[in-house]
Structures are given as structure tokens and as C-alpha cells.
Amino acid sequence: MTGVTAASTSAALTPHQIWVRIRGLLLALLVLVAAGIALATIRSGDQHGRLDPRSADRYGSRAVAELLKERGVTVHVVTTLDDATAWVGPDTTLLVASPNLLAPHQQSELRAATENSAGRTVLLAAGPPSVRTLVPGVTAESAGPVSPRAPECSLPAARSAGDVETGGLRYASDGPGTIGCFPSGGLPTLLLVEQGAGDTVLLGSPDLLLNDRLANQGNASLALQLLGSRPHLIWYLPSLADSSGATENGGTGDDGAPDNRSFADLIPRGWLWGTLQLALAAVLAAIWRARRLGPLVSERLPVAIRASESTEGRARLYRKTNARDRAADSLRSATRTRIAPLIGISPRNAHSPSTLVPAVSARLGSTDDSLQTLLFGPAPSDDAALVHLADQLDTLESEVRTS
């Protein structure tokens, strides 16, 4: 009987029940993965990344690359510093899409390769750290959002282009041989620095090269003149996969000293604090949800239990804990409940000594005070007294029924 009951009351899910519950989720996940693969396949030929001359989406730069090719300028896309410096020469324009991504030693190597090349170098949105190395003597600061600005300079390319959408960063130089255009707050957002037979162009924002902005204002004119002054354009997209970005000497810093920093030291402090806050929020959410237990939910028993088995089980529990007081109270309460209707007492007054005892005495014609002790007396002192009490209550109920 015990084995059957345990098997019947098991709450474990069968494999079929598990499959029924998760099949909808698996189907939705499969559809999502298939849709993602399909979209990636369809659009893989048009998207390569921001400022990529092979990308036709709104953040790509294929439009300006195609216009340059129509004017006889060859466009070569490179993603490593070695390839970029290998093409440097007097007949090339080197465009660096994200100079801020270059490591300090990469920036030094790039400056050494372009300083005396007699070609043109165009740096897009170069911030203070990269400007300090790539163009000594020049400082950079924020210029606010991108908006149309007038040239206000003598540079022929800027004057012929007219108003251009620039901003992002503005530059200041304390050296000779510089031309600043499209000022913001008195400082130019485009700065041309002459270096021997070549020059370097600092552009505060790359937005005018994007596909969706090229046709605005004089963006296209300025872009074509800045990037098409030489027959060859090297479009350098710095990549994290570039092996030259690793620190030199197999694990040393820029000063040549061993780099003993751990992985945790390389994580920005803001990320560590953010992770700590998320962990704390997760713990608080777990505590909050754990306290929301809600009310008890009644469930149907998996098997029917006979009243005699339930009575025997409760009796064994009472006996195991020597709870003779509870057992006596249960016996007396049940007897009072059963005999009250027989003598005309309402269920509400069945457990009132002043009401029930006189009515039972009148029914039996007895003036014995033992009825008070029998129906509302103290707990038995031992098991024999408890059995004797049960017999007396049974006899009393029989007399009431037959009287």
C-alpha cells in the first residue's frame, strides 16, 4: 500500500509532459534563429560597419567611395596598421577612420610612417590622446553636435564646398602652417596642418562621409576634394584583430617594463561598479520574490483515504507525543456535537457547560454531578484513564440515544 501511494503522489513530470510544455518555446526559438540567419544572409553583402566604404547602409560610406572611383581615384580598404603604412607615399591619401582605437605605440608608428611621406593623412574625429601623438602641437576639445557651419577660411576646398555639416571636436594649434575652417566657438572643426610636402587633415566629425548625409549641404564637395587630391586613397579601418595592437615585447607596457596587470585591472572601474550594483539588485529581487509565497492552494488528493485510516493515523500521532489532553478534548468535543441535536440543543450551545449539562441531566433523569466532569473535565492522567474516558463517553451517548 505504501509503494502504491508513493508512486501515485509523485510530482515528477514525465518526458511527454516536459515536451508539451517546452515545444512552443523551442519552436519560437527556431523561428527566431532562422529569421536571423536569413536576414544576415540577405544583407551580408551591403553591411560591413560604420564608415566602411563597402557598406551601403546609412552608416556606411560606399557613396563617397563610388564617387571617388568615378573620378579615377583608386580606393583600397585595409584593416591592419602594417597594410596601411605599406601604401603610404606622395601619391596616396591615408584616411584613418577611428584613430582613437589605435594603441599608443601604433599611433607612434603611424606618425613615423606618414611624417615625411609627402602624402595626405586624414584623421576622423581624433580625440585628445590620439591628437597628442599623431599631430604634436595640436589640442582637441568638444565642439558640440554636428550642424551646418560656414567655412570662414582661405582653404580652397572649404570655400568651394560652402556650408558643411561638421562638429564633434574642434582643434587648436600653436604652430605655423595650419589652416582652420568651419569654426565652432572660435575654434575650427577642420584643421589642415602642413608637414613638409604633405599635410594632415583633422576632421572633427566623420558624419559628412556617411551615406545618408553625403548629399546634405556641401558635404559631398568637401569630401571629394579632401579625399581625392591624390590618385590613391587608403581607407584604414582599425580593427581589434590587428596583431600590431598588442603590447610590444610579448607582455610589456609602453615604457618597456613588464606588464603584470590582472584581468580585473584591465576592466574599467565603471563596469565593476555596474556589475556590483546589478548583483545587489538581483539579490534584493530574489529576497522580494521569495517572500511572496501567497495563500495555500488546495489540491485534490491523488488517492482516497478511508476515515478509519485517518483516525488511526491521528491516534498514533497523539500516542507518540503523549498528547492525552488533545485526544480527550477531541473525544469530548465529538460526543457533545453528536448528542446536542438529540436533546434539542443548537450546535452553537453544544460546547457550553451551563446549557448542555442541565439538558443531558434532564434527559436522563439524573442529578449526578459526574456529567460535568465527564463532558468538560480535566485531561486523563494516563492511557488507561483515557481509554476509560472513551468508554464512558460511548456509554453516555448510547443512553441519550435510547432514552
Side-chain angles (χ1 to χ4, degrees), residues 251-253 255-261:
T252 61
D255 56 357
D259 191 354
N260 297 321
R261 292 178 297 173

Side-chain angles (χ1 to χ4, degrees), residues 22-54:
I22 68 172
R23 62 184 179 183
L25 179 61
L26 291 178
L27 179 60
L29 182 61
L30 180 61
V31 171
L32 183 62
V33 172
I37 295 175
L39 289 175
T41 303
I42 293 174
R43 304 180 63 181
S44 61
D46 295 333
Q47 292 185 328
H48 293 273
R50 182 178 174 84
L51 292 173
D52 195 316
R54 299 163 296 184

Side-chain angles (χ1 to χ4, degrees), residues 339-352:
I339 65 176
L342 301 177
I343 56 178
I345 301 299
S346 64
R348 183 178 58 184
N349 297 322
H351 306 288
S352 173

Side-chain angles (χ1 to χ4, degrees), residues 12-30:
L13 297 176
T14 64
H16 177 71
Q17 291 174 323
I18 296 175
W19 165 248
V20 170
R21 292 191 178 189
I22 68 172
R23 62 184 179 183
L25 179 61
L26 291 178
L27 179 60
L29 182 61
L30 180 61

Side-chain angles (χ1 to χ4, degrees), residues 68-368:
L68 289 169
K69 291 177 183 178
E70 291 178 1
R71 286 161 174 74
V73 178
T74 60
V75 180
H76 301 277
V77 181
V78 297
T79 57
T80 65
L81 181 61
D82 293 339
D83 291 340
T85 55
W87 285 88
V88 170
D91 59 347
T92 62
T93 297
L94 174 61
L95 181 146
V96 184
S98 300
N100 297 330
L101 294 180
L102 298 175
H105 70 274
Q106 288 181 299
Q107 295 172 0
S108 300
E109 184 178 345
L110 179 63
R111 176 172 174 260
T114 59
E115 189 173 14
N116 299 315
S117 65
R120 166 169 288 182
T121 303
V122 179
L123 305 176
L124 301 181
S130 56
V131 166
R132 190 181 304 115
T133 303
L134 294 173
V135 193
V138 177
T139 59
E141 61 183 59
S142 175
V146 174
S147 61
R149 290 182 169 86
E152 300 183 20
C153 66
S154 60
L155 184 66
R159 295 178 63 86
S160 63
D163 291 355
V164 170
E165 295 181 339
T166 61
L169 294 168
R170 56 184 182 176
Y171 303 96
S173 175
D174 56 3
T178 61
I179 302 176
C181 304
F182 307 104
S184 171
L187 294 178
T189 58
L190 184 152
L191 184 67
L192 185 144
V193 181
E194 296 181 354
Q195 295 176 330
D199 56 37
T200 297
V201 178
L202 293 165
L203 193 58
S205 172
D207 288 9
L208 64 88
L209 301 179
L210 301 179
N211 292 328
D212 66 337
R213 287 181 177 263
L214 188 63
N216 299 343
Q217 304 292 328
N219 293 354
S221 175
L222 181 63
L224 293 177
Q225 293 182 80
L226 292 179
L227 304 182
S229 62
R230 270 75 171 175
H232 303 290
L233 172 62
I234 310 304
W235 200 298
Y236 177 29
L237 299 171
S239 170
L240 296 177
D242 188 357
S243 59
S244 66
T247 54
E248 296 176 342
N249 302 326
T252 61
D254 297 330
D255 56 357
D259 191 354
N260 297 321
R261 292 178 297 173
S262 65
F263 176 76
D265 296 331
L266 299 177
I267 301 177
R269 182 173 300 177
W271 285 94
L272 293 177
W273 279 110
T275 303
L276 179 60
Q277 293 174 9
L278 288 176
L280 179 61
V283 172
L284 293 177
I287 296 175
W288 167 61
R289 293 299 299 176
R291 293 177 61 87
R292 294 174 58 89
L293 299 178
L296 295 176
V297 178
S298 59
E299 298 183 8
R300 295 180 58 188
L301 293 175
V303 294
I305 300 177
R306 291 182 295 180
S308 60
E309 294 182 3
S310 178
T311 302
E312 291 177 3
R314 179 170 294 184
R316 292 192 187 99
L317 290 176
Y318 285 157
R319 182 176 183 180
K320 185 176 181 179
T321 59
N322 292 323
R324 285 184 291 271
D325 54 345
R326 291 181 176 272
D329 289 341
S330 180
L331 292 173
R332 285 168 170 156
S333 177
T335 301
R336 294 194 298 264
T337 301
R338 288 194 295 268
I339 65 176
L342 301 177
I343 56 178
I345 301 299
S346 64
R348 183 178 58 184
N349 297 322
H351 306 288
S352 173
S354 60
T355 303
L356 183 64
V357 173
V360 174
S361 298
R363 180 67 173 265
L364 298 179
S366 172
T367 59
D368 191 356

